[in-house]
Amino acid sequence: MPQADASLRLLAEAGIPAFRTPEVAADCMRAWSDWRAPRTEAMSPAIEHSLPAAPDEADARRLFAALGLASPFALLRTPQDAAKDMAFPVALKILSPDLAHKTEVGGVRLGIAGPDALRQEAAAMQGRVARMAPAARLTGFLVQPMAKGLGEAIIGFRRDPEVGPVVLLGTGGITAKLFRDVTLRLAPVDKAEAMAMIAEVKGMRLLGGWRGLPRGDLPALAQAVVAVSRLAARDDISEAEINPLIIHAESEGVTVADAWVVRAQDA
């Protein structure tokens, strides 16, 4: 417990583990106990789906659709375009490869009731985002039906320079980064491992029928985790995220509410 830098250095040079506090020693023992050998099984084949050099949300959604996570949406290139075959109310979002967090620049509007309101909101949004993020490239608008579920999840993928591809699951929505209720695995994962991840996220317990609450479609959530983890086979993707993924009632599936993908710099 005393500050003993010289003693710590002598022990380290002799190859003897030494720690300043019991808590640090316990953390190291836990890390050693949890260590698992690198995966040896073969990955699933990579999904054949091309991405532009600077993908926006529509491109990310098409990628996730190729992985089996398709959710309806329409594209508007100008505020005057009509959202064809789209049932109102809808959500409207600005499209840009430079805006990962559209809400912060006024790039999201929910519950738009009809076509006239949609055109008005799109025109106002275009001006507002151009003022708040003048350097961002604006590629149009994305329109999607409003969806309501029992809960929200965040699923993320990242190619970590130290450990390789990892997949993340946590409670989603605007509070995802506030509560940090997440779990991680090396990617890819199978459905059994995805279900184990769900069990580790505290916020997901409510969707398991906690105290008589309606049960969410956790098998569909697990399949979504598996699907996102398959990005490990794509060397051209460094990061990807769905937040939120709306979880519906049992047997009703999940809905992609927002998506993002980042290409690897050397791709």
Side-chain angles (χ1 to χ4, degrees), residues 147-158:
K148 186 176 182 180
L150 300 180
E152 296 181 344
I154 178 173
I155 305 178
F157 169 83
R158 182 170 183 263

Side-chain angles (χ1 to χ4, degrees), residues 153-208:
I154 178 173
I155 305 178
F157 169 83
R158 182 170 183 263
R159 196 170 298 279
D160 187 274
E162 298 294 332
V163 302
V166 294
V167 62
L168 171 147
L169 172 67
T171 51
I174 60 174
T175 61
K177 290 182 172 58
L178 177 63
F179 294 122
R180 300 281 182 181
D181 182 18
V182 301
T183 186
L184 289 163
R185 289 291 193 283
L186 297 175
V189 299
D190 58 22
K191 195 165 184 178
E193 196 164 9
M195 290 298 294
M197 293 175 70
I198 292 172
E200 293 173 6
V201 178
K202 295 177 182 178
M204 297 300 161
R205 295 175 188 172
L206 297 175
L207 302 179

Side-chain angles (χ1 to χ4, degrees), residues 9 27 37 43 54 62 74 92 94 104 110 122 125 131-132 158 167 178 189 197 215 222-224 229 232 234 255 259:
R9 185 176 64 254
D27 286 342
M43 289 186 182
R62 294 186 188 103
L92 173 71
I94 199 73
E104 297 173 1
L110 305 178
M125 181 180 291
R131 290 192 303 273
M132 297 185 69
R158 182 170 183 263
V167 62
L178 177 63
V189 299
M197 293 175 70
R215 300 179 71 88
Q223 190 56 49
S229 78
R234 293 276 306 241
T255 297

Side-chain angles (χ1 to χ4, degrees), residues 206-219:
L206 297 175
L207 302 179
W210 176 265
R211 295 193 174 183
L213 290 173
R215 300 179 71 88
D217 197 339
L218 297 183

